[in-house]
């Protein structure tokens, strides 16, 4: 499975944008990039996913490098409620992939300062 | 409203005493997963059901079993819990096993006395 590398921790001020990086230099052409986050004392929560093009939803934006070897999750305006561990995960969606489980790495612990 | 519900939120059992954790879903998803998350670690997949088809991860201990009596419910059985089994247990559901997002419950924190 292709691996991802994320910083262990990041800090942001409230109401400022946050850019969470993820490196995945061995990504294959059929790997989707998924982001989940886990707030304290809760289960993980799906945030966003994409393949090649940048993606936006109500929670965040996902910027994918042209060579797909890195991506950035963008929270446009951090709130205290965004303090969580953010996981960047690759999932193979090729027709023969069958079952592609979520394999969680260590993620990035985001702290938001009021 | 919660769509993946885990009961109880906290469970205490004695060393070696069987324990069952439960999960229910209102999403009518085909796939149900069980993860184990130990303190300060990432969630680790134990097994999953695709409809009635059970799929065990290679390194899941034999001590852990699961049942899925119907689409909505899935149970995690720990036959003889050891101190090392103290963890958060997370249930998740998904429409498929490869592309659709997974929806997680808030977990059951299991303590072993």
């Amino acid at each position: 499975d292709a691996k991802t590398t994320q910083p262990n921790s990041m800090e942001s001020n409230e109401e400022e944008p946050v850019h969470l990086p993820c490196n995945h230099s061995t990504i294959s052409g059929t790997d989707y990039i998924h982001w989940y986050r886990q707030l304290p004392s809760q289960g993980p929560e799906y945030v966003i996913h994409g393949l090649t093009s940048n993606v936006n939803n109500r929670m965040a934006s996902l910027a994918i490098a042209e060579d797909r070897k890195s991506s950035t999750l963008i929270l446009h305006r951090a709130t205290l409620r965004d303090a969580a561990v953010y996981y960047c995960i690759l999932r193979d969606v090729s027709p023969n992939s069958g079952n592609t489980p979520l394999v969680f790495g260590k993620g990035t612990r985001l702290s938001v300062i009021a | 409203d919660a769509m993946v519900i885990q009961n109880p939120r906290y469970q205490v059992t004695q060393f070696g005493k069987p324990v069952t954790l439960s999960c229910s879903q209102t999403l009518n998803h085909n796939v149900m997963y069980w993860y184990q998350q130990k303190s300060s670690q990432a969630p680790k997949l134990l097994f999953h059901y695709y409809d009635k088809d059970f799929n065990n991860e290679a390194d899941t201990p034999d001590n852990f079993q699961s049942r899925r009596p119907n689409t909505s419910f899935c149970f995690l059985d720990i036959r003889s819990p050891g101190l090392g089994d103290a963890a958060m247990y997370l249930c998740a559901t998904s429409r498929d096993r490869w592309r659709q997002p997974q929806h997680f419950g808030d977990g059951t924190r299991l303590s072993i006395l």
Side-chain angles (χ1 to χ4, degrees), chain A residues 40-53:
Chain A
S41 301
Q42 294 187 26
E45 174 186 30
Y46 166 78
V47 178
I48 201 166
H49 75 280
L51 184 63
T52 55
S53 304

Side-chain angles (χ1 to χ4, degrees), chain A residues 5 12 29 41 55 64 78 84 90 114:
Chain A
T5 305
S12 172
S41 301
V55 185
I64 302 172
L90 301 182

Side-chain angles (χ1 to χ4, degrees), chain A residues 9-20:
Chain A
S9 63
M10 290 184 65
E11 203 171 79
S12 172
N13 292 319
E14 198 177 10
E15 299 189 7
E16 289 188 357
V18 183
H19 291 233
L20 296 159

Side-chain angles (χ1 to χ4, degrees), chain A residues 8-105:
Chain A
N8 289 335
S9 63
M10 290 184 65
E11 203 171 79
S12 172
N13 292 319
E14 198 177 10
E15 299 189 7
E16 289 188 357
V18 183
H19 291 233
L20 296 159
C22 180
N23 287 323
H24 26 78
S25 58
T26 60
I27 191 170
S28 76
T30 53
D31 281 331
Y32 266 79
I33 303 158
H34 286 245
W35 284 83
Y36 284 75
R37 72 179 185 180
Q38 188 171 19
L39 279 66
S41 301
Q42 294 187 26
E45 174 186 30
Y46 166 78
V47 178
I48 201 166
H49 75 280
L51 184 63
T52 55
S53 304
N54 294 344
V55 185
N56 300 297
N57 66 21
R58 64 174 178 81
M59 288 181 72
S61 296
L62 177 59
I64 302 172
E66 199 169 328
D67 64 3
R68 299 210 327 123
K69 294 187 176 182
S70 65
S71 60
T72 303
L73 180 71
I74 303 166
L75 307 179
H76 294 287
R77 210 163 149 263
T79 69
L80 297 177
R81 202 194 168 277
D82 291 321
V85 178
Y86 286 78
Y87 297 99
C88 170
I89 302 169
L90 301 182
R91 294 186 85 184
D92 180 7
V93 295
S94 59
N96 298 326
S97 61
N99 172 32
T100 52
L102 289 178
V103 180
F104 289 85

Side-chain angles (χ1 to χ4, degrees), chain B residues 8-71:
Chain B
R9 288 297 309 274
Y10 301 92
Q11 176 76 53
V12 181
T13 191
Q14 292 178 333
F15 181 94
K17 186 174 180 182
V19 65
T20 295
L21 309 181
S22 73
C23 176
S24 64
Q25 58 143 333
T26 59
L27 296 165
N28 204 35
H29 282 169
N30 293 322
V31 194
M32 294 187 78
Y33 301 87
W34 280 104
Y35 291 81
Q36 179 192 63
Q37 185 173 25
K38 295 189 177 180
S39 182
S40 301
Q41 296 184 19
K44 180 172 176 290
L45 182 63
L46 295 173
F47 28 58
H48 75 274
Y49 271 95
Y50 182 62
D51 289 334
K52 295 180 182 179
D53 183 29
F54 177 71
N55 297 268
N56 203 23
E57 293 300 300
D59 55 356
T60 298
D62 293 339
N63 206 20
F64 290 84
Q65 295 176 334
S66 186
R67 295 170 284 135
R68 189 179 186 186
N70 54 51
T71 301

